[in-house]
Amino acid sequence: MEKLTFYALSAPEKLDRIGAYLSERLIRDVGRHRYGYVCIAMEALDQLLMACHCQSINLFVESFLKMVAKLLESEKPNLQILGTNSFVKFANIEEDTPSYHRSYDFFVSRFSEMCHSSHDDLEIKTKIRMSGIKGLQGVVRKTVNDELQANIWDPQHMDKIVPSLLFNLQHVEEAESRSPSPLQAPEKEKENPAELAERCLRELLGRAAFGNIKNAIKPVLIHLDNHSLWEPKVFAIRCFKIIMYSIQPQHSHLVIQQLLGHLDANSRSAATVRAGIVEVLSEASVIAATGSVGPTVLEMFNTLLRQLRLSIDYALTGSYDGAISLGTKIIKEHEERMFQEAVIKTIGSFASTLPTYQRSEVILFIMSKVPLPSLQHPVEAGRTGENRNRLTQIMLLKSLLQVSTGFQCNNMMSALPSNFLDRLLSTALMEDAEIRLFVLEILISFIDRHGNRHKFSTISTLSDISVLKLKVDKCSRQDTVFMKKHSQQLYRHIYLSCKEDTNMQKHYEALYGLLALISIELANEEVVVDLIRLVLAVQDVAQVNEENLPVYNRCALYALGAAYLNLISQLTTVPAFCQHIHEVIETRKKEAPYMLPEDVFVERPRLSQNLDGVVIEFLFRQSKISEVLGGSGYNSDRLCLPYIPQLTDEDRLSKRRSIGETISLQVEVESRNSPEKEERVPAEEITYETLKKAIVDSVAVEEQERERRRQVVEKFQKAPFEEIAAHCGARASLLQSKLNQIFEITIRPPPSPSGTITAAYGQPQNHSIPVYEMKFPDLCVY
């Protein structure tokens, strides 16, 4: 062998003839079953290949690969393993000269086939499979960085390589459940195809460029589909963890896009399959979020929300087609519910990894999808439409709650912008108690920035709140601006939420937590005063009971007021205020425990059936609180004013305004608009037809107003300047004449002590021209 090697190095032009001769001998020996000579010939080929790197080695390599192929075609496992080992040695050689015509198609096919070996002998089967994996690894190493070679990333190759590696990962996992004895374990680890397949897969994905990722991921998805591996989802999650940690971070969003597209493609598959894909997407997106995700963020949330809506439709209709026929696959509602929970969990887990600015965008995006009963966001009619709307609202609010959990933003104006807060608080006026609870919890998640939320999970009247160890910071300037802009809106919705007769214990706990967190996170002196007024107004709701609330709700409102005033009195640290609150609480403990949270917010509330005779000693008095806080620098005038919520356009969203409220509102408007001496016209009786006509008329009026505006805009855009100037001048003179009429009617000269001042001839005496009769220039009119 040494002489042959020396001869080949001395005369490189003879190398191809040496290779051809050895190849001829080896083919003959294989045919005659002379395997000893076969091994000698392959050893000679290997040593010559390792020693000679001259320019004429390409022809020798052709002979070498021909011999390797001959061995791989053999049915003898030892020859297959021998050929594979020689190919692996060749794959590790860096050739000096490129090859333009070499093909590895046969080797990819044959090595993939060896990876699926089903030999009867377990040990031989393991060796053949490992040889196949090593062979694929050699092909990848040899071709992946050589642009002149056949493109290993083509689908025809990837569809063989990737499933072969996954097959070994999958089946050895099953074998691992039958764990070997401790003595055999180290030896078995060396002969484990799963580890080798994983290493090869990682190497393959690590070498993938931007344009090759999709061809490598698609066979993974197809393999998981064909072998029904989404439902247990353990193997699928492991595969994608390997993928996400192996590829370059800047390519991770391509994998997410592939998964999203696959989820859309399986939108009519079983709920368990879709849930498995979503779980995998959750794990992959968390890893991808640490790298560059880019524009995939909103695309991902859009796809997940679309799948959520489809799942709701499937659960309601019971089929994927909307109509049940003989060939329709019946849908199991609990499986769809499981899928919906998986989607919501994925939305939350991915959002938690995003930076603040991206999470804010996601929050606005989800909120924009919530159907609201307004003109801008029409909801579906009918029984099915109402169910679909309700389920959609609940699922989207659940998603929003997941996204908002742990959201940290120092500026509340950024965390709760107007367009988001308006829509969220509009949702708080829904009849559904579950929806209202979600809204309260979402608000709490946004406002709680110091982790105080869990300290108010139970409502109580602690004598010393220092045991709670609250984290309190001074209200920042940005938070003060936020409260100036939105405080009345927040108070109004808290007040209306307290008046709901469908509230349960969770609602009152959420309301207490919201009031407490506003007092800690966003409170200045003005906010404290308004919150006290608000809670006293809630106490009045329980006392007067115009809403005909059940006994439990009235007792709960009394208890809620006691717990909050106990908290705020200790936060303000005004001794007289604390003393008054403490006195009322002690009085209630002795004579009316049903008005305290310790008796109301328990598993079996102890209530009083007679709440109409509540004495004043049981109540927190506004006059007393105003007096004690006014002496400490608080605005006593504002404290004396009872809190009255403002009526806004949002009230029509609640769908609960009674006929009596409509009549009283109508009478109030009429009383404001009619002159004092004008004869009062009796109010028209409100009937269903009247309301229907009013709705139709309002739509017609809106259409007329819209058309009038369009005509005005068109006139100012197209009319000549002289016509516009004349029109404005006419309006100015008309305005001046109207003003003169108004002043003539309403303003009179001041009376003199002796009555009307008259001249010598009995005519009224004229003084200088009054202001209201002066002629002002047109500019002043404008």
Side-chain angles (χ1 to χ4, degrees):
M1 196 64 221
E2 291 177 1
K3 291 180 180 180
L4 180 63
T5 305
F6 177 76
Y7 176 70
L9 290 172
S10 302
E13 68 276 3
K14 302 292 185 181
L15 193 59
D16 57 331
R17 293 183 64 186
I18 295 172
Y21 172 75
L22 288 173
S23 174
E24 183 183 346
R25 284 293 303 270
L26 193 140
I27 291 173
R28 188 170 61 202
D29 292 335
V30 169
R32 294 177 179 178
H33 305 289
R34 299 167 68 179
Y35 301 125
Y37 289 105
V38 172
C39 294
I40 293 172
M42 282 310 300
E43 181 68 23
L45 285 168
D46 289 346
Q47 290 194 26
L48 286 172
L49 195 63
M50 300 295 287
C52 303
H53 290 173
C54 58
Q55 292 184 353
S56 58
I57 198 174
N58 276 329
L59 292 176
F60 178 76
V61 170
E62 292 301 322
S63 300
F64 171 79
L65 292 179
K66 185 178 178 182
M67 288 315 307
V68 172
K70 185 68 177 177
L71 294 178
L72 293 176
E73 287 175 347
S74 172
E75 295 180 359
K76 298 290 183 179
N78 290 335
L79 294 184
Q80 296 175 14
I81 294 169
L82 179 65
T84 303
N85 292 337
S86 295
F87 183 84
V88 171
K89 292 176 185 176
F90 161 70
N92 291 326
I93 297 174
E94 293 185 7
E95 298 182 54
D96 297 334
T97 55
S99 174
Y100 296 90
H101 57 280
R102 200 177 295 162
S103 173
Y104 294 97
D105 293 1
F106 167 78
F107 295 101
V108 171
S109 300
R110 184 58 184 148
F111 288 139
S112 299
E113 187 180 343
M114 290 169 66
C115 288
H116 292 82
S117 173
S118 57
H119 199 280
D120 296 335
D121 190 326
L122 178 62
E123 187 176 352
I124 294 176
K125 179 174 70 174
T126 302
K127 287 182 178 180
I128 294 175
R129 288 187 179 183
M130 289 189 68
S131 295
I133 297 168
K134 289 177 182 177
L136 290 177
Q137 191 176 27
V139 173
V140 171
R141 287 178 179 175
K142 197 66 182 172
T143 59
V144 74
N145 291 326
D146 193 348
E147 296 179 358
L148 299 173
Q149 302 291 352
N151 190 359
I152 199 68
W153 300 106
D154 285 344
Q156 59 179 349
H157 299 311
M158 285 290 107
D159 290 347
K160 296 174 183 175
I161 295 174
V162 174
S164 301
L165 300 176
L166 295 179
F167 175 80
N168 283 277
L169 274 174
Q170 170 192 349
H171 281 268
V172 179
E173 263 193 356
E174 295 171 1
E176 282 178 355
S177 61
R178 304 185 296 271
S179 57
S181 62
L183 294 174
Q184 296 175 337
E187 188 178 348
K188 289 288 182 185
E189 285 176 4
K190 295 177 184 178
E191 301 175 354
N192 189 352
E195 292 183 5
L196 188 60
E198 180 178 341
R199 194 159 60 246
C200 182
L201 184 62
R202 288 183 184 276
E203 183 178 343
L204 175 70
L205 294 167
R207 295 172 180 265
F210 183 84
N212 303 325
I213 293 290
K214 292 183 179 179
N215 290 343
I217 301 303
K218 189 175 180 181
V220 178
L221 300 173
I222 294 174
H223 181 83
L224 296 174
D225 284 343
N226 292 340
H227 295 271
S228 303
L229 296 172
W230 292 112
E231 297 179 29
K233 75 193 174 188
V234 177
F235 178 73
I237 289 175
R238 184 189 172 196
C239 284
F240 274 90
K241 280 187 175 180
I242 292 172
I243 292 170
M244 297 307 294
Y245 283 119
S246 300
I247 61 174
Q248 300 176 33
Q250 61 268 28
H251 299 161
S252 56
H253 68 280
L254 294 176
V255 181
I256 301 298
Q257 287 176 340
Q258 288 282 93
L259 279 168
L260 291 173
H262 198 67
L263 180 60
D264 279 337
N266 284 273
S267 57
R268 290 176 179 267
S269 299
T272 51
V273 173
R274 285 178 282 134
I277 299 174
V278 169
E279 290 279 356
V280 172
L281 189 60
S282 173
E283 297 287 342
S285 60
V286 170
I287 300 171
T290 59
S292 173
V293 180
T296 316
V297 174
L298 288 184
E299 179 188 350
M300 177 175 176
F301 285 103
N302 193 27
T303 301
L304 290 174
L305 294 180
R306 182 169 62 250
Q307 291 297 325
L308 202 58
R309 286 194 298 272
L310 285 174
S311 177
I312 291 170
D313 289 341
Y314 296 158
L316 287 173
T317 59
S319 72
Y320 297 118
D321 305 322
I324 299 178
S325 60
L326 294 176
T328 302
K329 185 177 180 181
I330 304 300
I331 291 173
K332 297 178 181 178
E333 190 173 349
H334 72 277
E335 291 182 354
E336 289 297 334
R337 198 177 305 117
M338 178 192 68
F339 168 73
Q340 293 162 12
E341 293 297 331
V343 171
I344 293 170
K345 177 187 171 186
T346 302
I347 288 174
S349 63
F350 181 47
S352 64
T353 64
L354 296 176
T356 302
Y357 74 94
Q358 277 191 329
R359 203 194 277 203
S360 300
E361 291 177 2
V362 169
I363 287 167
L364 291 173
F365 180 73
I366 296 176
M367 194 67 226
S368 68
K369 301 288 185 181
V370 179
L372 294 178
S374 62
L375 295 176
Q376 291 80 14
H377 302 86
V379 295
E380 298 182 44
R383 185 76 174 174
T384 306
E386 288 180 4
N387 290 336
R388 182 179 289 108
N389 292 328
R390 178 183 177 275
L391 287 173
T392 305
Q393 289 160 356
I394 289 175
M395 290 302 166
L396 290 177
L397 289 173
K398 270 188 178 181
S399 305
L400 200 57
L401 181 60
Q402 287 282 337
V403 177
S404 63
T405 302
F407 182 70
Q408 294 291 332
C409 186
N410 294 327
N411 187 356
M412 289 303 296
M413 293 291 286
S414 302
L416 294 171
S418 298
N419 52 350
F420 171 76
L421 190 62
D422 292 344
R423 288 181 60 81
L424 182 64
L425 292 179
S426 297
T427 315
L429 296 175
M430 299 282 185
E431 290 183 23
D432 194 282
E434 189 176 1
I435 292 177
R436 295 201 309 272
L437 182 59
F438 278 129
V439 174
L440 291 173
E441 290 177 347
I442 290 168
L443 283 172
I444 289 172
S445 294
F446 279 111
I447 295 174
D448 180 27
R449 292 172 293 184
H450 293 88
N452 293 314
R453 177 181 182 176
H454 66 281
K455 299 172 184 176
F456 302 110
S457 56
T458 56
I459 309 178
S460 62
T461 53
L462 291 172
S463 57
D464 184 9
I465 63 169
S466 61
V467 297
L468 296 177
K469 297 181 180 178
L470 300 173
K471 298 177 183 177
V472 183
D473 277 349
K474 186 178 180 182
C475 183
S476 64
R477 181 177 175 275
Q478 293 90 343
D479 292 344
T480 303
V481 173
F482 172 80
M483 289 304 290
K484 282 186 178 296
K485 185 175 182 181
H486 297 294
S487 60
Q488 295 304 319
Q489 198 178 4
L490 282 170
Y491 303 152
R492 176 176 178 275
H493 284 82
I494 292 173
Y495 179 80
L496 294 177
S497 296
C498 290
K499 294 171 69 174
E500 297 291 343
D501 57 357
T502 55
N503 283 345
M504 307 296 288
Q505 180 175 336
K506 290 184 177 179
H507 292 84
Y508 295 111
E509 289 173 350
L511 285 166
Y512 174 66
L514 182 57
L515 288 168
L517 289 170
I518 292 175
S519 306
I520 292 172
E521 297 280 353
L522 306 171
N524 50 28
E525 288 190 5
E526 183 179 346
V527 172
V528 169
V529 168
D530 285 342
L531 287 172
I532 293 172
R533 291 172 58 223
L534 171 64
V535 173
L536 291 174
V538 170
Q539 178 182 258
D540 292 340
V541 169
Q543 183 183 7
V544 178
N545 196 25
E546 291 180 351
E547 307 292 329
N548 293 323
L549 295 174
V551 174
Y552 173 78
N553 297 70
R554 294 178 68 186
C555 291
L557 291 181
Y558 281 127
L560 175 66
Y564 176 72
L565 289 174
N566 175 66
L567 173 70
I568 196 68
S569 65
Q570 296 186 54
L571 288 175
T572 54
T573 64
V574 177
F577 184 28
C578 294
Q579 183 181 357
H580 171 65
I581 303 301
H582 181 69
E583 288 174 355
V584 175
I585 290 176
E586 289 299 319
T587 306
R588 288 186 180 183
K589 283 182 180 178
K590 295 176 182 176
E591 303 181 34
Y594 51 84
M595 298 173 71
L596 291 175
E598 286 77 9
D599 276 31
V600 176
F601 301 119
V602 290
E603 186 176 352
R604 294 182 179 179
R606 294 179 287 276
L607 308 176
S608 170
Q609 297 301 322
N610 184 18
L611 290 176
D612 296 330
V614 175
V615 296
I616 195 170
E617 286 79 10
F618 298 166
L619 302 176
F620 302 100
R621 298 189 296 279
Q622 190 156 4
S623 57
K624 180 68 176 177
I625 294 174
S626 174
E627 176 186 343
V628 296
L629 287 180
S632 299
Y634 288 85
N635 189 344
S636 58
D637 294 337
R638 190 172 180 82
L639 274 167
C640 290
L641 295 173
Y643 173 77
I644 300 175
Q646 301 173 351
L647 289 175
T648 66
D649 292 339
E650 289 177 324
D651 288 320
R652 60 192 168 85
L653 303 181
S654 65
K655 303 179 182 178
R656 290 188 298 280
R657 184 178 293 173
S658 63
I659 299 298
E661 287 176 324
T662 308
I663 295 174
S664 63
L665 187 61
Q666 179 183 2
V667 171
E668 183 182 355
V669 171
E670 286 180 353
S671 65
R672 290 179 180 177
N673 294 339
S674 60
E676 293 181 3
K677 296 182 180 180
E678 187 177 346
E679 187 176 353
R680 183 63 59 88
V681 180
E684 182 183 355
E685 183 181 358
I686 306 297
T687 62
Y688 171 75
E689 292 297 330
T690 309
L691 292 174
K692 183 178 178 183
K693 182 179 178 183
I695 294 172
V696 174
D697 290 347
S698 65
V699 174
V701 169
E702 287 182 3
E703 290 292 335
Q704 293 174 1
E705 181 67 19
R706 195 177 296 113
E707 179 64 22
R708 188 187 68 79
R709 290 180 180 176
R710 190 191 63 77
Q711 292 176 357
V712 170
V713 171
E714 185 177 355
K715 179 178 179 181
F716 274 88
Q717 286 176 342
K718 298 181 178 180
F721 175 76
E722 292 78 8
E723 182 179 344
I724 296 174
H727 177 71
C728 293
R731 290 187 63 186
S733 60
L734 178 63
L735 179 61
Q736 183 65 50
S737 64
K738 291 291 183 184
L739 286 173
N740 290 337
Q741 292 178 15
I742 292 170
F743 288 144
E744 190 68 34
I745 294 172
T746 58
I747 300 179
R748 297 286 183 269
S752 64
S754 59
T756 306
I757 301 176
T758 55
Y761 299 98
Q763 298 294 330
Q765 186 177 353
N766 291 327
H767 298 284
S768 59
I769 299 174
V771 175
Y772 59 86
E773 291 184 1
M774 291 182 182
K775 297 292 184 182
F776 291 95
D778 291 343
L779 288 176
C780 292
V781 174
Y782 288 113

